[in-house]
Amino acid sequence: MSLAPVLFVRPLPTYLGLSGSPLLWRWMLASACWLVALGSAALGRVGREDARVTAGLLSLAGAVNASVALSFRPSRLAVPVGSLVLWGVAAWRYRAWRYRTAR
């Protein structure tokens, strides 16, 4: 008997295919939206950001996160705090854009 740990390394698509959980696919979609929104916000440092795109991607990531939280069984309580934060940042970013363009 060996107490050495066994390590399996698999590519992400293989792991997701074996897991069978649609929640992981949603998590990946929300993460991708967040990363693209982060890239869009980074473009704002050089004056090339469209805040509507950033706010839209953050809102979409929040909606996907909320769908994950609401898909749990009724016996589990999942409060989508991350979704609320994403929606708050999206609203803040969009309002800042509207204020800047209204001038």
Side-chain angles (χ1 to χ4, degrees):
M1 181 167 116
S2 172
L3 296 177
V6 177
L7 179 66
F8 291 103
V9 179
R10 297 180 188 205
L12 187 59
T14 305
Y15 172 72
L16 291 172
L18 291 174
S19 71
S21 175
L23 297 179
L24 288 175
W25 287 103
R26 291 185 204 170
W27 173 79
M28 278 185 33
L29 176 63
S31 298
C33 288
W34 182 81
L35 284 173
V36 175
L38 188 64
S40 176
L43 286 174
R45 302 291 289 168
V46 293
R48 305 273 307 169
E49 176 195 21
D50 186 350
R52 295 171 295 182
V53 172
T54 305
L57 287 166
L58 291 173
S59 297
L60 184 61
V64 173
N65 278 338
S67 75
V68 170
L70 296 174
S71 68
F72 287 131
R73 288 178 279 152
S75 61
R76 292 184 184 173
L77 174 64
V79 180
V81 175
S83 295
L84 297 175
V85 170
L86 285 167
W87 291 332
V89 171
W92 169 75
R93 192 67 204 114
Y94 184 72
R95 284 185 184 174
W97 171 80
R98 287 201 47 196
Y99 176 75
R100 193 178 37 208
T101 58
R103 292 172 135 195

